[in-house]
Amino acid sequence: MVRTETARSYLVSVDFVVAAALGLLLWWALPPQVSLAFAKDVYGVGISVLSIVFSLYFASLAVIVSSGDDEFVFYLSKHGHYETLSRAFRWCLVMLFASLSLAIVLYVVTSYQLTVGNRLHPRGLFVAFGVLSTYALLVSMCTALDSVQYARYRAKYLEARREVAERAASAKPGSEPKGVPQ
């Protein structure tokens, strides 16, 4: 049940709708076959952009995952935020990888087709790449915003810990301080 609701939330999200709208616009604006040289250039740009975003995203994901202490992860989990964040990061990583993989495959195919004398490329493949890469980039932007939210949760958590420590320091001897706010 959770997977169905998660899949549904991805398909009705703003980033998916924008990517699908771009796909419809490309389908409407492009002829049935596009220039193979043009498609190869676009796929090359896609490889460059997506590989940079993928590597930066992967590195920042590693920092986020390793930076949280156990109490903070428990704090986020208790409120349901940790699973939501990790699911969004995982989805983004998969989408970036899929988009980058598609760009590489399409680049190789178009390069080969140019060497054998072909000059035209199917619009459907070009549109599919446009939709997937746009969606992957929008998802990565959204998860970057989630990272900002993660930092805000961390700041709230650290403030709550500081307040608890201050209360404990000013408490009467023998009284037990209350823990981090749940």
Side-chain angles (χ1 to χ4, degrees):
M1 184 68 171
V2 173
R3 289 185 189 268
T4 303
E5 290 177 12
T6 302
R8 189 177 307 131
S9 70
Y10 291 130
L11 294 177
V12 295
S13 63
V14 173
D15 40 6
F16 183 78
V17 171
V18 169
L22 174 72
L24 290 173
L25 179 66
L26 285 173
W27 189 266
W28 175 77
L30 294 173
Q33 295 191 338
V34 297
S35 163
L36 199 55
F38 172 70
K40 180 184 172 204
D41 289 345
V42 170
Y43 299 147
V45 169
I47 290 170
S48 298
V49 170
L50 291 165
S51 61
I52 290 169
V53 172
F54 181 78
S55 61
L56 289 174
Y57 181 80
F58 193 74
S60 61
L61 179 61
V63 168
I64 288 173
V65 168
S66 65
S67 69
D69 62 9
D70 291 343
E71 288 182 28
F72 179 60
V73 171
F74 177 74
Y75 174 78
L76 285 178
S77 293
K78 188 170 185 172
H79 293 88
H81 301 303
Y82 191 76
E83 181 59 34
T84 302
L85 283 170
S86 65
R87 188 174 32 241
F89 288 130
R90 187 172 45 243
W91 180 251
C92 180
L93 197 59
V94 167
M95 288 297 100
L96 284 170
F97 182 76
S99 184
L100 180 58
S101 298
L102 180 63
I104 292 169
V105 167
L106 289 174
Y107 185 83
V108 169
V109 167
T110 55
S111 294
Y112 173 74
Q113 287 179 338
L114 279 171
T115 63
V116 296
N118 293 341
R119 297 288 172 237
L120 296 174
H121 185 64
R123 170 179 59 188
L125 290 175
F126 189 80
V127 170
F129 171 74
V131 169
L132 185 59
S133 61
T134 299
Y135 180 65
L137 291 172
L138 289 172
V139 166
S140 67
M141 182 190 70
C142 290
T143 55
L145 295 174
D146 288 343
S147 297
V148 172
Q149 188 64 30
Y150 175 87
R152 287 183 182 152
Y153 287 139
R154 181 109 174 114
K156 287 179 183 180
Y157 172 77
L158 292 174
E159 178 65 22
R161 274 182 68 176
R162 187 186 62 75
E163 289 173 4
V164 167
E166 286 175 357
R167 281 195 310 255
S170 66
K172 296 179 186 176
S175 65
E176 290 293 319
K178 301 211 188 256
V180 174
Q182 307 295 320

